[in-house]
Amino acid sequence: MGIKDKALAFGRRFKLDSHHAIERFGVFFGVFALTGAVVIGGSGASALKANSDSLSHTALYTQQFTTSKTSLKGDVDGVYTNEQGSKALVMMHFPANAPISYSAADYQAFLLGSDKNLNSQAVETSGIRGSFYVFGSTGYVGVLLDADRPFAQQVLNLTLRANAELSHDERKQDKGRADELAGDASFDKYDQWRVFFNPGAKETTEIPALDAVNFDPAQAYYDIVVHKEEETPRQELDHKLIAMRANLAQIQAYTSDLETTKVDGLFLRPPSVPEAIADDAVTGSSASESQDGEATLALETEHTVPDGFDFDWREGNVYDGYLDDLVPSGQSYVEFLAKKRAEGSDGVSQQISAMQWILSDGSNLRSDYQSSDVTMRPLTNVMNNLSQAYQSYAKTKSEYQSDLLLGLLRLDVKLRDVQSNSSVRDDSEVLTTLY
């Protein structure tokens, strides 16, 4: 039996054909030859001609897809491999809160090979085992392919089928056959989409999760999704540390001005500083200052803002987790975070505004003199500069400990969803491959 006959028999057996197989192939390849692209089975997946790119380099030919019956749109994040090139993970995601099943048991896949014109042919790589993963409630799904040897440089046609339809697109009723160009009746009968990719290409991305002895979906999700998301708050944390260091330098300079700025022998005594910020310091170097380009800045403080956190984010990461070291024994992280949200402000800003500015003769600069008194302007300027420096530092510290560190903890919680609620289907029926 020839390759074409095998493809047709495969299609009939697994309901990927129509009742007019010859017309299907004729229409499919005729349209493809004219346009250089094809809309397949109502999936909305765009596939580039393999021979218009370098087969050895291009890993992904489908960037977006639309499911054939429920019209749910999604994106293909990429093709990820291990160092040896014998494992490949095709990662996809639907929008947040999309009505999809979070159970991997509700999905299956079909794998065919393609030639340079995306004509169906046998898969060249032998011994492929497949598994379908749903990454918690994140909207991410993936197909893991594990072969006996490194994948050949071949474009593969992966059809994904959702056997549980949790939504209905009434507009499809007025469109007739959405897959007339491809002529594939299975896309009318089942909710499906297709992805064209080449796991043997050089442009695949290697991730540590695929080199581990046992595949951990949480690690894969971290490698692909969370690691990039984690970079933004980490960069912002560094920026806040630089800003706080500058604020503290201003405070030191303006405090020195208290001793040197005088009006007719009068000078301001150092004010009583709120305990929450009194002994704070920023130590270490920024990336531009260090010889190896690695930032070591850190906030040294004895006080954490009420709804904030204090932990060594630089030496840790979201995959290793932060919450385990923060949550008190006997308390869940849900309770811990809820309690933090309920904490009120410590009123540092109000305390700074209420600081007493006492002159060397015991009088009060604010209450005993008019703000318009030009004779006291030098002392008023010193007072305002120092007060503003304290306010700026307190605000930046609150943003650092509350907003940004909480952002890292939110990613920790997000990853815990994947750790706790991911599901996998890895039985012999999950992937059907044409060899």
Side-chain angles (χ1 to χ4, degrees):
M1 181 182 292
I3 293 299
K4 182 177 180 180
D5 293 331
K6 288 183 178 179
L8 292 173
F10 177 86
R12 287 193 298 269
R13 180 180 178 187
F14 297 104
K15 301 178 181 180
L16 296 174
D17 69 333
S18 71
H19 294 295
H20 304 284
I22 296 176
E23 290 85 351
R24 172 169 69 90
F25 279 95
V27 173
F28 177 86
F29 297 120
V31 172
F32 181 79
L34 289 173
T35 64
V38 61
V39 178
I40 299 177
S43 68
S46 298
L48 300 178
K49 289 176 63 177
N51 59 5
S52 67
D53 300 300
S54 172
L55 183 65
S56 64
H57 284 83
T58 305
L60 185 63
Y61 295 86
T62 306
Q63 304 292 335
Q64 292 89 30
F65 60 86
T66 302
T67 60
S68 60
K69 292 187 67 180
T70 58
S71 297
L72 295 177
K73 297 184 182 298
D75 295 291
V76 184
D77 297 86
V79 182
Y80 305 89
T81 56
N82 61 344
E83 183 177 1
Q84 185 181 354
S86 60
K87 293 181 181 179
L89 175 66
V90 181
M91 193 72 155
M92 301 154 279
H93 73 272
F94 293 88
N97 301 320
I100 65 171
S101 171
Y102 295 145
S103 173
D106 291 330
Y107 299 89
Q108 63 186 121
F110 305 87
L111 187 66
L112 295 85
S114 299
D115 64 14
K116 291 183 178 180
N117 291 314
L118 301 186
N119 299 331
S120 296
Q121 62 177 204
V123 176
E124 297 176 8
T125 306
S126 62
I128 297 177
R129 297 166 296 280
S131 49
F132 195 102
Y133 285 87
V134 176
F135 295 83
S137 58
T138 63
Y140 280 80
V141 299
V143 174
L144 177 63
L145 304 177
D146 189 352
D148 292 335
R149 59 184 177 87
F151 283 96
Q153 291 183 3
Q154 179 190 25
V155 177
L156 299 180
N157 171 352
L158 181 66
T159 297
L160 296 309
R161 177 180 295 175
N163 291 315
E165 298 175 25
L166 305 186
S167 66
H168 178 65
D169 186 1
E170 293 184 356
R171 296 172 299 173
K172 303 289 285 187
Q173 304 302 315
D174 300 326
K175 290 181 179 180
R177 285 285 301 278
D179 59 308
E180 276 301 319
L181 287 179
D184 194 332
S186 68
F187 282 85
D188 267 350
K189 187 174 183 179
Y190 302 99
D191 200 26
Q192 300 183 159
W193 70 98
R194 276 181 180 165
V195 176
F196 284 89
F197 68 104
N198 177 10
K202 295 178 181 178
E203 290 182 357
T204 61
T205 302
E206 292 183 14
I207 56 174
L210 293 179
D211 283 310
V213 176
N214 297 311
F215 178 76
D216 177 9
Q219 183 180 2
Y221 184 74
Y222 174 79
D223 293 341
I224 297 169
V225 181
V226 176
H227 181 66
K228 290 184 291 187
E229 294 180 345
E230 185 180 15
E231 287 305 307
T232 298
R234 291 177 73 92
Q235 291 174 2
E236 292 177 349
L237 283 163
D238 258 326
H239 293 157
K240 291 299 181 185
L241 285 168
I242 293 174
M244 282 190 287
R245 186 175 65 173
N247 294 148
L248 291 173
Q250 291 173 350
I251 290 172
Q252 183 177 9
Y254 296 144
T255 300
S256 298
D257 288 345
L258 296 177
E259 300 177 2
T260 59
T261 304
K262 298 180 180 180
V263 173
D264 197 22
L266 293 175
F267 60 90
L268 279 167
R269 300 186 187 281
S272 178
V273 181
E275 183 181 354
I277 60 175
D279 298 318
D280 286 4
V282 174
T283 60
S285 305
S286 66
S288 61
E289 296 165 343
S290 63
Q291 293 183 348
D292 59 3
E294 295 292 330
T296 59
L297 291 175
L299 173 63
E300 303 293 338
T301 181
E302 296 296 324
H303 181 85
T304 303
V305 298
D307 58 346
F309 308 88
D310 184 20
F311 57 89
D312 187 0
W313 58 270
R314 195 181 297 282
E315 294 302 318
N317 59 64
V318 172
Y319 181 65
D320 292 334
Y322 297 110
L323 284 167
D324 287 341
D325 293 331
L326 292 175
V327 178
S329 178
Q331 191 177 60
S332 71
Y333 74 84
V334 175
E335 294 171 328
F336 171 71
L337 293 176
K339 184 178 179 180
K340 274 291 182 181
R341 285 194 298 269
E343 292 179 352
S345 170
D346 55 4
V348 175
S349 178
Q350 290 80 4
Q351 293 176 42
I352 294 173
S353 298
M355 285 195 304
Q356 299 298 305
W357 297 91
I358 307 302
L359 292 167
S360 54
D361 65 354
S363 61
N364 189 306
L365 180 59
R366 276 187 170 161
S367 61
D368 295 336
Y369 296 88
Q370 297 291 328
S371 59
S372 59
D373 190 340
V374 294
T375 62
M376 303 301 288
R377 184 66 53 82
L379 296 177
T380 302
N381 287 340
V382 172
M383 175 186 69
N384 290 338
N385 288 340
L386 184 53
S387 178
Q388 183 57 51
Y390 278 125
Q391 290 284 13
S392 296
Y393 175 76
K395 180 176 181 293
T396 307
K397 178 182 179 180
S398 178
E399 293 170 345
Y400 176 89
Q401 289 191 320
S402 181
D403 300 338
L404 294 179
L405 289 180
L406 178 60
L408 286 180
L409 297 183
R410 286 196 180 109
L411 291 177
D412 194 338
V413 171
K414 187 176 181 180
L415 191 59
R416 285 169 182 253
D417 170 29
V418 177
Q419 291 171 328
S420 301
N421 301 313
S422 288
S423 61
V424 57
R425 181 180 177 187
D426 56 3
D427 59 83
S428 59
E429 302 297 323
V430 66
L431 178 70
T432 304
T433 305
L434 171 65
Y435 291 113

